Amino acid sequence: MSNNTSDNSHDLFAVRLAKLNKLREEGIDPFRQNWDQAHTSTTAKALYKPEEEGEEVAQAEVSIAGRITNLNVMGKAMFAKLLDRDGKIQIYAKRDELGEEKYFKLRKHDIGDIIGVSGPLFVTKTGEITVRVTDYAIVSKSMRPLPEKWHGLSDSDTIYRNRHLDLIVNEESRERFKKRSAIISCIRRYLEAQDFMEVETSTLHHIAGGAAARPFVTHFNALDCDFYLRIALELHLKRLLVGGFDRVFEIGRVFRNEGLSRRHNPEFTMLEVYQAYSDFRGMMNLIHGMVQTICNDVLGTTKITNSEGVEIELGGEWRELSYKDLILEATKDADWFSKSTEEKLAATKELGIQVNPELEDYEVTNNVFEKLIEPTLIQPTFVTHIPKELCPLAKINQEDSGVLDVFELCINGQEIAPAYSEQNDPFIQKEMFEAQVGEETQDLDTEFLTAMEQGMPPAGGMGVGIDRLIILLTGAANIRDTILFPALRPSKVQQVESEEVSGE
């Protein structure tokens, strides 16, 4: 163990270590004991029966366990708060009721210790439901104090590196991650109710396909070749469509070896869903129904507020606008799509947008969309029919061969869910793959193309960035606030310990 601790923290550790040794001398090992946690703070409080005027009501006996978050000793009596998975509950102990020996042991505990208590419920003069302690045991001794006198963590680096402390002291974080779990459970229930089957596909791919992104590379020793952590779920799921699984979805981790920002983490959670004999408009209905079900079942409202305090209405109908119409409106140039690349680059300067002059023509236009238009799409908006160069996996529109039958659902100024009428013509698919391979953005997956040649049904497909959806639905300001353990550079302490282990 590294000795990189401050003098103060070392002294506090020593004090708690002495308390632990004292307990062991008395025959108590808190790391060997258990407690019957028959109730949580919420279920315990729910058992309280209000007393009628002039009439006593027998109250339930409860048995709870949790972490001490504050202590208030008043001579022969004491109050404390215990934190469990549901929240906090107050306990009250009196020397004459608990017994002198147990009472004095209880009052000597430290903030952070985990204990179990049992006893009847009552209500204090301030109206707080409380457990009157008749029995107790310590079940885990906390050797280090909680941060900042247990009033919460505010330093973001400390929060992300020590999520366990964040969850102990920051109720907002604890509730956000509970809500994340509830949202993902709701998504599963919604899709299963629509007769979709959840599947699991491999994380290690021999080709980094399904998206234009830089992969993480690893070496597979048993096969003596390089593999990639998957950058998308798409191609394996489509092969299941070929195999006859008409409605499939997967919620899985995806890895892209790219930048870190408030909206990007290299390891993130993706939902991908595919429905045979459907199209991108079928996916519109699916995502619309799914988000509104989450609003009703988890949030209890269709109105949310983003981190800037702007209200977003997720109920009712969502607007639909074409990519081209948005570009023409933003540039105020009816001839935009007939201009040369050089003319478009010149126009972007007048629009106040910095664009790399080496970009392809369609990339220049897409920069206009991403920098000038997308941030303004706060209310739910289906942006339809994007240029065909932006995605090799969707069907080309029959009326306009320059665009695809797709949508990008934008809410709160960012893309939440792209969806396609999936390309199922293996010959066109191969041409589009080869065009992208030539641009070095995606490898050619010949196994997927061979599967398509067996006959892939027409289908609608959609991807939803779960972390971005959680940001939206919880009002979080940063993607790291929605991921329990986000990607971080190793701390100096971790680097030193790693060097000690390796002998460097």
Side-chain angles (χ1 to χ4, degrees), residues 254-312:
V254 172
F255 308 85
R256 297 183 181 177
N257 196 359
E258 297 173 344
L260 286 166
S261 73
R262 59 188 293 268
R263 290 186 176 183
H264 296 276
N265 194 69
E267 177 183 2
F268 59 99
T269 303
M270 177 70 76
L271 162 69
E272 291 203 27
V273 54
Y274 295 88
Q275 180 179 348
Y277 314 111
S278 184
D279 56 18
F280 80 108
R281 294 203 173 276
M283 295 298 104
M284 277 188 184
N285 295 330
L286 193 69
I287 187 65
H288 186 262
M290 185 176 77
V291 170
Q292 294 196 348
T293 298
I294 293 170
C295 289
N296 294 326
D297 293 359
V298 179
L299 306 183
T301 178
T302 58
K303 290 184 174 65
I304 60 172
T305 303
N306 67 14
S307 58
E308 285 77 38
V310 177
E311 187 177 272
I312 300 172

Short mmCIF file of all heavy atoms in Angstrom, two decimals, residues 254-312:
data_model
loop_
_atom_site.label_atom_id
_atom_site.label_comp_id
_atom_site.label_asym_id
_atom_site.label_seq_id
_atom_site.Cartn_x
_atom_site.Cartn_y
_atom_site.Cartn_z
N VAL A 254 -19.69 0.07 -25.91
CA VAL A 254 -19.04 0.34 -27.18
C VAL A 254 -17.81 1.20 -26.88
O VAL A 254 -17.82 2.01 -25.95
CB VAL A 254 -20.02 1.05 -28.14
CG1 VAL A 254 -19.31 1.51 -29.39
CG2 VAL A 254 -21.17 0.12 -28.49
N PHE A 255 -16.75 1.03 -27.68
CA PHE A 255 -15.47 1.66 -27.39
C PHE A 255 -14.95 2.39 -28.62
O PHE A 255 -14.79 1.80 -29.68
CB PHE A 255 -14.45 0.61 -26.95
CG PHE A 255 -14.95 -0.28 -25.84
CD1 PHE A 255 -15.72 -1.41 -26.13
CD2 PHE A 255 -14.66 0.00 -24.52
CE1 PHE A 255 -16.19 -2.23 -25.12
CE2 PHE A 255 -15.14 -0.81 -23.50
CZ PHE A 255 -15.90 -1.93 -23.79
N ARG A 256 -14.67 3.68 -28.46
CA ARG A 256 -14.12 4.47 -29.56
C ARG A 256 -12.92 5.26 -29.03
O ARG A 256 -13.06 6.05 -28.10
CB ARG A 256 -15.18 5.38 -30.17
CG ARG A 256 -16.33 4.57 -30.77
CD ARG A 256 -17.39 5.41 -31.45
NE ARG A 256 -18.45 4.55 -31.97
CZ ARG A 256 -19.54 4.99 -32.58
NH1 ARG A 256 -19.72 6.30 -32.75
NH2 ARG A 256 -20.46 4.14 -33.02
N ASN A 257 -11.78 5.02 -29.64
CA ASN A 257 -10.52 5.58 -29.16
C ASN A 257 -10.36 7.01 -29.64
O ASN A 257 -9.49 7.32 -30.46
CB ASN A 257 -9.36 4.70 -29.64
CG ASN A 257 -8.08 4.96 -28.87
OD1 ASN A 257 -8.03 5.81 -27.99
ND2 ASN A 257 -7.04 4.24 -29.22
N GLU A 258 -11.22 7.87 -29.12
CA GLU A 258 -11.28 9.26 -29.57
C GLU A 258 -11.29 10.20 -28.36
O GLU A 258 -10.98 9.78 -27.26
CB GLU A 258 -12.50 9.44 -30.48
CG GLU A 258 -12.39 8.58 -31.74
CD GLU A 258 -13.65 8.60 -32.60
OE1 GLU A 258 -14.70 9.01 -32.10
OE2 GLU A 258 -13.55 8.19 -33.77
N GLY A 259 -11.64 11.44 -28.57
CA GLY A 259 -11.47 12.46 -27.54
C GLY A 259 -12.41 12.34 -26.36
O GLY A 259 -13.41 11.63 -26.39
N LEU A 260 -12.02 13.05 -25.31
CA LEU A 260 -12.83 13.19 -24.10
C LEU A 260 -13.43 14.59 -24.08
O LEU A 260 -12.74 15.57 -24.37
CB LEU A 260 -11.98 12.99 -22.85
CG LEU A 260 -11.54 11.58 -22.48
CD1 LEU A 260 -10.45 11.64 -21.43
CD2 LEU A 260 -12.72 10.78 -21.95
N SER A 261 -14.71 14.69 -23.72
CA SER A 261 -15.34 16.00 -23.57
C SER A 261 -16.55 15.83 -22.67
O SER A 261 -16.84 14.73 -22.19
CB SER A 261 -15.77 16.57 -24.93
OG SER A 261 -16.90 15.87 -25.43
N ARG A 262 -17.27 16.93 -22.45
CA ARG A 262 -18.45 16.85 -21.60
C ARG A 262 -19.56 16.01 -22.23
O ARG A 262 -20.51 15.62 -21.55
CB ARG A 262 -18.98 18.25 -21.28
CG ARG A 262 -19.37 19.07 -22.51
CD ARG A 262 -19.69 20.51 -22.14
NE ARG A 262 -20.89 20.57 -21.33
CZ ARG A 262 -22.11 20.74 -21.81
NH1 ARG A 262 -22.29 20.81 -23.12
NH2 ARG A 262 -23.15 20.82 -21.01
N ARG A 263 -19.42 15.70 -23.54
CA ARG A 263 -20.43 14.88 -24.20
C ARG A 263 -19.88 13.56 -24.72
O ARG A 263 -20.62 12.77 -25.30
CB ARG A 263 -21.06 15.65 -25.36
CG ARG A 263 -21.94 16.81 -24.92
CD ARG A 263 -22.65 17.43 -26.10
NE ARG A 263 -23.57 18.48 -25.68
CZ ARG A 263 -24.35 19.16 -26.50
NH1 ARG A 263 -24.31 18.89 -27.80
NH2 ARG A 263 -25.17 20.10 -26.06
N HIS A 264 -18.57 13.32 -24.55
CA HIS A 264 -17.96 12.13 -25.13
C HIS A 264 -17.12 11.40 -24.08
O HIS A 264 -16.30 12.01 -23.39
CB HIS A 264 -17.07 12.50 -26.33
CG HIS A 264 -17.82 13.10 -27.47
ND1 HIS A 264 -18.47 12.34 -28.42
CD2 HIS A 264 -18.04 14.39 -27.81
CE1 HIS A 264 -19.05 13.15 -29.30
NE2 HIS A 264 -18.81 14.39 -28.95
N ASN A 265 -17.30 10.09 -24.02
CA ASN A 265 -16.46 9.22 -23.22
C ASN A 265 -16.08 8.05 -24.13
O ASN A 265 -16.93 7.53 -24.85
CB ASN A 265 -17.21 8.70 -21.98
CG ASN A 265 -16.29 8.06 -20.96
OD1 ASN A 265 -15.49 8.74 -20.32
ND2 ASN A 265 -16.39 6.75 -20.81
N PRO A 266 -14.82 7.62 -24.14
CA PRO A 266 -14.42 6.58 -25.10
C PRO A 266 -15.10 5.24 -24.88
O PRO A 266 -15.20 4.44 -25.80
CB PRO A 266 -12.90 6.48 -24.90
CG PRO A 266 -12.64 7.07 -23.56
CD PRO A 266 -13.67 8.14 -23.38
N GLU A 267 -15.56 4.98 -23.67
CA GLU A 267 -16.34 3.78 -23.38
C GLU A 267 -17.75 4.23 -23.02
O GLU A 267 -17.94 4.98 -22.06
CB GLU A 267 -15.71 3.02 -22.21
CG GLU A 267 -16.50 1.79 -21.79
CD GLU A 267 -15.90 1.10 -20.57
OE1 GLU A 267 -14.89 1.59 -20.04
OE2 GLU A 267 -16.45 0.08 -20.15
N PHE A 268 -18.74 3.82 -23.79
CA PHE A 268 -20.10 4.29 -23.54
C PHE A 268 -21.10 3.17 -23.80
O PHE A 268 -20.76 2.10 -24.31
CB PHE A 268 -20.42 5.53 -24.38
CG PHE A 268 -20.30 5.33 -25.87
CD1 PHE A 268 -21.42 5.08 -26.65
CD2 PHE A 268 -19.07 5.41 -26.50
CE1 PHE A 268 -21.31 4.90 -28.02
CE2 PHE A 268 -18.95 5.24 -27.88
CZ PHE A 268 -20.08 4.98 -28.63
N THR A 269 -22.34 3.44 -23.43
CA THR A 269 -23.40 2.43 -23.56
C THR A 269 -24.31 2.79 -24.73
O THR A 269 -24.78 3.92 -24.84
CB THR A 269 -24.23 2.33 -22.27
OG1 THR A 269 -23.36 2.03 -21.19
CG2 THR A 269 -25.27 1.23 -22.39
N MET A 270 -24.54 1.80 -25.59
CA MET A 270 -25.35 2.01 -26.79
C MET A 270 -26.51 1.03 -26.81
O MET A 270 -26.35 -0.14 -26.47
CB MET A 270 -24.49 1.82 -28.04
CG MET A 270 -25.23 1.94 -29.35
SD MET A 270 -25.74 3.64 -29.69
CE MET A 270 -24.18 4.36 -30.21
N LEU A 271 -27.67 1.53 -27.17
CA LEU A 271 -28.81 0.68 -27.52
C LEU A 271 -28.90 0.66 -29.03
O LEU A 271 -28.93 1.71 -29.67
CB LEU A 271 -30.11 1.24 -26.94
CG LEU A 271 -31.41 0.71 -27.58
CD1 LEU A 271 -31.64 -0.76 -27.26
CD2 LEU A 271 -32.61 1.56 -27.15
N GLU A 272 -28.92 -0.53 -29.61
CA GLU A 272 -29.22 -0.66 -31.04
C GLU A 272 -30.38 -1.63 -31.20
O GLU A 272 -30.43 -2.67 -30.54
CB GLU A 272 -28.00 -1.12 -31.84
CG GLU A 272 -26.91 -0.06 -31.90
CD GLU A 272 -25.97 -0.23 -33.08
OE1 GLU A 272 -26.40 -0.79 -34.11
OE2 GLU A 272 -24.81 0.21 -32.96
N VAL A 273 -31.31 -1.26 -32.06
CA VAL A 273 -32.53 -2.03 -32.25
C VAL A 273 -32.82 -2.15 -33.74
O VAL A 273 -32.67 -1.18 -34.49
CB VAL A 273 -33.72 -1.39 -31.48
CG1 VAL A 273 -33.90 0.06 -31.86
CG2 VAL A 273 -35.01 -2.16 -31.70
N TYR A 274 -33.23 -3.35 -34.16
CA TYR A 274 -33.51 -3.62 -35.58
C TYR A 274 -34.82 -4.38 -35.71
O TYR A 274 -35.07 -5.33 -34.96
CB TYR A 274 -32.36 -4.41 -36.22
CG TYR A 274 -31.10 -3.59 -36.25
CD1 TYR A 274 -30.22 -3.60 -35.17
CD2 TYR A 274 -30.82 -2.76 -37.33
CE1 TYR A 274 -29.08 -2.81 -35.17
CE2 TYR A 274 -29.70 -1.96 -37.33
CZ TYR A 274 -28.83 -1.98 -36.25
OH TYR A 274 -27.72 -1.17 -36.24
N GLN A 275 -35.63 -3.92 -36.65
CA GLN A 275 -36.95 -4.51 -36.88
C GLN A 275 -37.12 -4.81 -38.37
O GLN A 275 -37.14 -3.90 -39.20
CB GLN A 275 -38.06 -3.57 -36.40
CG GLN A 275 -39.45 -4.14 -36.61
CD GLN A 275 -40.53 -3.20 -36.09
OE1 GLN A 275 -40.24 -2.23 -35.40
NE2 GLN A 275 -41.78 -3.48 -36.44
N ALA A 276 -37.22 -6.09 -38.69
CA ALA A 276 -37.45 -6.49 -40.08
C ALA A 276 -38.83 -6.03 -40.54
O ALA A 276 -39.76 -5.89 -39.74
CB ALA A 276 -37.34 -8.00 -40.22
N TYR A 277 -38.94 -5.76 -41.84
CA TYR A 277 -40.19 -5.34 -42.48
C TYR A 277 -40.67 -4.00 -41.91
O TYR A 277 -41.87 -3.74 -41.80
CB TYR A 277 -41.27 -6.43 -42.34
CG TYR A 277 -40.71 -7.79 -42.67
CD1 TYR A 277 -40.55 -8.76 -41.68
CD2 TYR A 277 -40.29 -8.11 -43.96
CE1 TYR A 277 -39.99 -10.00 -41.96
CE2 TYR A 277 -39.72 -9.34 -44.26
CZ TYR A 277 -39.58 -10.28 -43.25
OH TYR A 277 -39.01 -11.50 -43.54
N SER A 278 -39.71 -3.17 -41.55
CA SER A 278 -40.01 -1.82 -41.10
C SER A 278 -39.05 -0.88 -41.83
O SER A 278 -38.35 -1.28 -42.76
CB SER A 278 -39.84 -1.71 -39.57
OG SER A 278 -40.21 -0.42 -39.12
N ASP A 279 -39.04 0.39 -41.45
CA ASP A 279 -38.16 1.37 -42.07
C ASP A 279 -37.89 2.49 -41.07
O ASP A 279 -38.23 2.38 -39.89
CB ASP A 279 -38.76 1.91 -43.38
CG ASP A 279 -40.14 2.52 -43.18
OD1 ASP A 279 -40.51 2.84 -42.03
OD2 ASP A 279 -40.86 2.70 -44.19
N PHE A 280 -37.28 3.58 -41.56
CA PHE A 280 -36.91 4.64 -40.62
C PHE A 280 -38.13 5.31 -39.99
O PHE A 280 -38.06 5.80 -38.87
CB PHE A 280 -35.98 5.66 -41.30
CG PHE A 280 -36.65 6.70 -42.17
CD1 PHE A 280 -36.75 8.02 -41.76
CD2 PHE A 280 -37.16 6.36 -43.42
CE1 PHE A 280 -37.33 8.98 -42.56
CE2 PHE A 280 -37.73 7.32 -44.24
CZ PHE A 280 -37.84 8.64 -43.82
N ARG A 281 -39.26 5.28 -40.69
CA ARG A 281 -40.47 5.86 -40.09
C ARG A 281 -41.03 4.94 -39.00
O ARG A 281 -41.60 5.42 -38.02
CB ARG A 281 -41.50 6.16 -41.16
CG ARG A 281 -41.02 7.25 -42.11
CD ARG A 281 -42.14 7.97 -42.83
NE ARG A 281 -41.60 9.11 -43.59
CZ ARG A 281 -41.36 10.30 -43.07
NH1 ARG A 281 -41.62 10.53 -41.81
NH2 ARG A 281 -40.86 11.26 -43.83
N GLY A 282 -40.85 3.65 -39.16
CA GLY A 282 -41.21 2.74 -38.09
C GLY A 282 -40.38 3.01 -36.85
O GLY A 282 -40.86 2.92 -35.71
N MET A 283 -39.10 3.36 -37.06
CA MET A 283 -38.22 3.70 -35.94
C MET A 283 -38.63 5.01 -35.28
O MET A 283 -38.45 5.20 -34.08
CB MET A 283 -36.77 3.77 -36.41
CG MET A 283 -36.18 2.44 -36.89
SD MET A 283 -36.11 1.16 -35.59
CE MET A 283 -37.51 0.12 -36.07
N MET A 284 -39.19 5.93 -36.07
CA MET A 284 -39.72 7.17 -35.49
C MET A 284 -40.78 6.86 -34.44
O MET A 284 -40.77 7.40 -33.33
CB MET A 284 -40.34 8.05 -36.58
CG MET A 284 -39.39 8.90 -37.36
SD MET A 284 -40.33 10.02 -38.44
CE MET A 284 -38.98 10.82 -39.32
N ASN A 285 -41.71 5.98 -34.81
CA ASN A 285 -42.77 5.61 -33.88
C ASN A 285 -42.19 4.92 -32.65
O ASN A 285 -42.66 5.13 -31.52
CB ASN A 285 -43.79 4.69 -34.57
CG ASN A 285 -44.54 5.38 -35.69
OD1 ASN A 285 -44.75 6.59 -35.65
ND2 ASN A 285 -44.93 4.63 -36.70
N LEU A 286 -41.15 4.10 -32.86
CA LEU A 286 -40.58 3.34 -31.76
C LEU A 286 -39.90 4.26 -30.75
O LEU A 286 -40.13 4.16 -29.54
CB LEU A 286 -39.57 2.32 -32.31
CG LEU A 286 -39.12 1.24 -31.32
CD1 LEU A 286 -40.26 0.27 -31.00
CD2 LEU A 286 -37.93 0.47 -31.88
N ILE A 287 -39.05 5.18 -31.20
CA ILE A 287 -38.33 6.05 -30.27
C ILE A 287 -39.28 7.05 -29.61
O ILE A 287 -39.14 7.38 -28.42
CB ILE A 287 -37.17 6.79 -30.98
CG1 ILE A 287 -36.31 7.57 -29.98
CG2 ILE A 287 -37.67 7.73 -32.06
CD1 ILE A 287 -35.57 6.72 -28.99
N HIS A 288 -40.29 7.51 -30.36
CA HIS A 288 -41.27 8.43 -29.79
C HIS A 288 -42.03 7.75 -28.65
O HIS A 288 -42.17 8.31 -27.55
CB HIS A 288 -42.24 8.86 -30.89
CG HIS A 288 -43.22 9.92 -30.47
ND1 HIS A 288 -44.51 9.61 -30.08
CD2 HIS A 288 -43.11 11.26 -30.36
CE1 HIS A 288 -45.16 10.73 -29.76
NE2 HIS A 288 -44.32 11.74 -29.93
N GLY A 289 -42.48 6.53 -28.89
CA GLY A 289 -43.19 5.80 -27.84
C GLY A 289 -42.30 5.44 -26.67
O GLY A 289 -42.72 5.48 -25.51
N MET A 290 -41.04 5.09 -26.96
CA MET A 290 -40.12 4.69 -25.89
C MET A 290 -39.81 5.86 -24.96
O MET A 290 -39.87 5.71 -23.72
CB MET A 290 -38.82 4.15 -26.50
CG MET A 290 -37.85 3.58 -25.49
SD MET A 290 -36.39 2.85 -26.28
CE MET A 290 -35.47 4.34 -26.68
N VAL A 291 -39.49 7.01 -25.51
CA VAL A 291 -39.15 8.17 -24.67
C VAL A 291 -40.36 8.61 -23.85
O VAL A 291 -40.24 8.93 -22.66
CB VAL A 291 -38.61 9.32 -25.54
CG1 VAL A 291 -38.50 10.60 -24.72
CG2 VAL A 291 -37.26 8.95 -26.13
N GLN A 292 -41.53 8.60 -24.47
CA GLN A 292 -42.70 9.03 -23.71
C GLN A 292 -43.08 8.01 -22.64
O GLN A 292 -43.60 8.38 -21.59
CB GLN A 292 -43.86 9.32 -24.67
CG GLN A 292 -43.56 10.50 -25.58
CD GLN A 292 -44.78 11.07 -26.27
OE1 GLN A 292 -45.85 10.47 -26.28
NE2 GLN A 292 -44.61 12.24 -26.88
N THR A 293 -42.82 6.74 -22.88
CA THR A 293 -43.05 5.73 -21.83
C THR A 293 -42.09 5.96 -20.66
O THR A 293 -42.49 5.86 -19.49
CB THR A 293 -42.85 4.31 -22.40
OG1 THR A 293 -43.82 4.08 -23.42
CG2 THR A 293 -43.01 3.26 -21.31
N ILE A 294 -40.83 6.28 -20.94
CA ILE A 294 -39.88 6.59 -19.88
C ILE A 294 -40.36 7.80 -19.08
O ILE A 294 -40.30 7.81 -17.85
CB ILE A 294 -38.48 6.86 -20.47
CG1 ILE A 294 -37.89 5.58 -21.07
CG2 ILE A 294 -37.54 7.40 -19.40
CD1 ILE A 294 -36.63 5.81 -21.88
N CYS A 295 -40.83 8.82 -19.81
CA CYS A 295 -41.33 10.02 -19.13
C CYS A 295 -42.46 9.69 -18.17
O CYS A 295 -42.49 10.16 -17.03
CB CYS A 295 -41.81 11.05 -20.16
SG CYS A 295 -40.49 11.84 -21.10
N ASN A 296 -43.39 8.87 -18.62
CA ASN A 296 -44.55 8.54 -17.79
C ASN A 296 -44.20 7.58 -16.66
O ASN A 296 -44.64 7.77 -15.51
CB ASN A 296 -45.65 7.92 -18.66
CG ASN A 296 -46.23 8.91 -19.66
OD1 ASN A 296 -46.33 10.10 -19.36
ND2 ASN A 296 -46.59 8.44 -20.84
N ASP A 297 -43.38 6.55 -16.95
CA ASP A 297 -43.13 5.50 -15.96
C ASP A 297 -42.01 5.82 -15.00
O ASP A 297 -42.03 5.35 -13.85
CB ASP A 297 -42.81 4.17 -16.68
CG ASP A 297 -44.00 3.62 -17.45
OD1 ASP A 297 -45.07 4.24 -17.41
OD2 ASP A 297 -43.85 2.57 -18.10
N VAL A 298 -41.02 6.59 -15.43
CA VAL A 298 -39.86 6.85 -14.58
C VAL A 298 -39.84 8.29 -14.07
O VAL A 298 -39.67 8.54 -12.88
CB VAL A 298 -38.55 6.54 -15.33
CG1 VAL A 298 -37.33 6.84 -14.44
CG2 VAL A 298 -38.52 5.08 -15.78
N LEU A 299 -40.02 9.25 -14.98
CA LEU A 299 -39.92 10.65 -14.59
C LEU A 299 -41.21 11.21 -14.01
O LEU A 299 -41.18 12.14 -13.20
CB LEU A 299 -39.51 11.51 -15.80
CG LEU A 299 -38.25 11.10 -16.56
CD1 LEU A 299 -37.96 12.11 -17.66
CD2 LEU A 299 -37.07 10.97 -15.62
N GLY A 300 -42.35 10.66 -14.45
CA GLY A 300 -43.64 11.17 -13.98
C GLY A 300 -44.04 12.47 -14.64
O GLY A 300 -44.99 13.13 -14.21
N THR A 301 -43.33 12.86 -15.70
CA THR A 301 -43.65 14.10 -16.42
C THR A 301 -43.02 14.04 -17.80
O THR A 301 -42.01 13.36 -18.00
CB THR A 301 -43.11 15.34 -15.68
OG1 THR A 301 -43.41 16.52 -16.44
CG2 THR A 301 -41.61 15.26 -15.48
N THR A 302 -43.63 14.76 -18.76
CA THR A 302 -43.03 14.86 -20.09
C THR A 302 -42.24 16.16 -20.24
O THR A 302 -41.65 16.41 -21.29
CB THR A 302 -44.11 14.81 -21.19
OG1 THR A 302 -45.05 15.87 -20.98
CG2 THR A 302 -44.83 13.47 -21.17
N LYS A 303 -42.22 16.97 -19.20
CA LYS A 303 -41.47 18.23 -19.22
C LYS A 303 -40.19 18.04 -18.43
O LYS A 303 -40.21 17.63 -17.27
CB LYS A 303 -42.30 19.37 -18.62
CG LYS A 303 -43.48 19.82 -19.47
CD LYS A 303 -44.17 21.01 -18.83
CE LYS A 303 -45.26 21.57 -19.73
NZ LYS A 303 -46.36 20.63 -19.94
N ILE A 304 -39.05 18.34 -19.06
CA ILE A 304 -37.76 18.28 -18.38
C ILE A 304 -37.07 19.62 -18.51
O ILE A 304 -37.43 20.44 -19.36
CB ILE A 304 -36.87 17.16 -18.95
CG1 ILE A 304 -36.61 17.40 -20.44
CG2 ILE A 304 -37.49 15.79 -18.73
CD1 ILE A 304 -35.60 16.45 -21.04
N THR A 305 -36.08 19.86 -17.68
CA THR A 305 -35.32 21.10 -17.71
C THR A 305 -33.85 20.77 -17.91
O THR A 305 -33.30 19.95 -17.17
CB THR A 305 -35.51 21.90 -16.41
OG1 THR A 305 -36.91 22.15 -16.22
CG2 THR A 305 -34.77 23.23 -16.48
N ASN A 306 -33.22 21.39 -18.90
CA ASN A 306 -31.81 21.09 -19.15
C ASN A 306 -30.92 21.84 -18.17
O ASN A 306 -31.40 22.60 -17.31
CB ASN A 306 -31.43 21.37 -20.61
CG ASN A 306 -31.47 22.85 -20.96
OD1 ASN A 306 -31.54 23.73 -20.10
ND2 ASN A 306 -31.40 23.15 -22.25
N SER A 307 -29.61 21.63 -18.28
CA SER A 307 -28.67 22.22 -17.32
C SER A 307 -28.62 23.74 -17.39
O SER A 307 -28.13 24.38 -16.47
CB SER A 307 -27.26 21.64 -17.53
OG SER A 307 -26.81 21.88 -18.86
N GLU A 308 -29.14 24.32 -18.48
CA GLU A 308 -29.20 25.78 -18.59
C GLU A 308 -30.54 26.34 -18.12
O GLU A 308 -30.79 27.54 -18.23
CB GLU A 308 -28.96 26.23 -20.04
CG GLU A 308 -27.50 26.14 -20.50
CD GLU A 308 -27.08 24.72 -20.81
OE1 GLU A 308 -27.90 23.97 -21.37
OE2 GLU A 308 -25.94 24.36 -20.49
N GLY A 309 -31.40 25.46 -17.63
CA GLY A 309 -32.70 25.91 -17.12
C GLY A 309 -33.78 26.03 -18.17
O GLY A 309 -34.86 26.57 -17.88
N VAL A 310 -33.55 25.54 -19.39
CA VAL A 310 -34.54 25.62 -20.47
C VAL A 310 -35.47 24.41 -20.38
O VAL A 310 -35.02 23.28 -20.25
CB VAL A 310 -33.86 25.66 -21.85
CG1 VAL A 310 -34.90 25.68 -22.97
CG2 VAL A 310 -32.93 26.86 -21.95
N GLU A 311 -36.78 24.66 -20.47
CA GLU A 311 -37.76 23.58 -20.40
C GLU A 311 -37.93 22.92 -21.76
O GLU A 311 -38.05 23.60 -22.79
CB GLU A 311 -39.11 24.11 -19.91
CG GLU A 311 -40.13 23.00 -19.66
CD GLU A 311 -41.44 23.53 -19.10
OE1 GLU A 311 -41.56 23.66 -17.87
OE2 GLU A 311 -42.34 23.84 -19.92
N ILE A 312 -37.91 21.60 -21.77
CA ILE A 312 -38.09 20.83 -23.00
C ILE A 312 -39.33 19.96 -22.85
O ILE A 312 -39.49 19.26 -21.85
CB ILE A 312 -36.85 19.93 -23.25
CG1 ILE A 312 -35.59 20.79 -23.39
CG2 ILE A 312 -37.05 19.07 -24.50
CD1 ILE A 312 -34.31 20.00 -23.45
#
